Amino acid sequence: MRMASAIVTGLSLVLLLSACGGKKDSNDDPSFRPPQKVATLGPFVGECGHLTDDEVRDLGGLSSLTTVFKNSVGCNWQAGGISSSSVTFASYRGSPIDREKAWVASVGRTPDTIDVGGRKGFQALDPSNAVCDLAVQLDDDFFEWSISYGVFNSGGNLGNPCDRTRKMAELTVQRLG
């Protein structure tokens, strides 16, 4: 009887250990993380997309623009107050353009696919024709120009802001470093 009990216990242990010791899927291990994708840096877009303050004023059609800030990733010019006309440039290193495209769509601007100097991107005009965002893909990076004619200005005499952001984007692409 002891022998039979020892055999049953031994077989039980073998079955138990084999069930627990099977191949473990690395995705089940909370400490396992797939390697991070290394972004391919695109060309250098320069400070403010390689455009001068005067070029931004002229192309933006907003002669009274004042530089609000310039830093390594963006620039902003405003005409004179929080609700006034503005132009913004931003550079995004290793960031997906589709996330920006989704955000633009979430605030009511329908993105249209465009090509600027052989590079894909999108532009999105708001329903009031007063705001345009235009982004261009550069490898794993992208840059974006945005013009807002302001809360109290419909931009009636300024035309489509996407035409203006397009000219800025074209210059940025031409001047890539």
Side-chain angles (χ1 to χ4, degrees), residues 80-155:
I82 293 175
S83 301
S84 67
S85 301
S86 65
V87 177
T88 303
F89 172 81
S91 172
Y92 299 89
R93 297 294 252 175
S95 184
I97 195 172
D98 287 336
R99 182 172 36 213
E100 185 71 10
K101 192 175 191 178
W103 179 84
V104 166
S106 77
V107 295
R109 299 179 205 131
T110 304
D112 295 318
T113 300
I114 60 166
D115 182 285
V116 176
R119 298 182 181 266
K120 298 291 181 208
F122 72 86
Q123 72 179 23
L125 181 63
D126 80 320
S128 70
N129 296 327
V131 178
C132 180
D133 297 300
L134 189 147
V136 176
Q137 187 76 54
L138 303 171
D139 298 327
D140 287 334
D141 305 339
F142 74 95
F143 70 83
E144 181 175 21
W145 280 102
S146 180
I147 292 181
S148 170
Y149 288 151
V151 174
F152 303 109
N153 181 355
S154 67

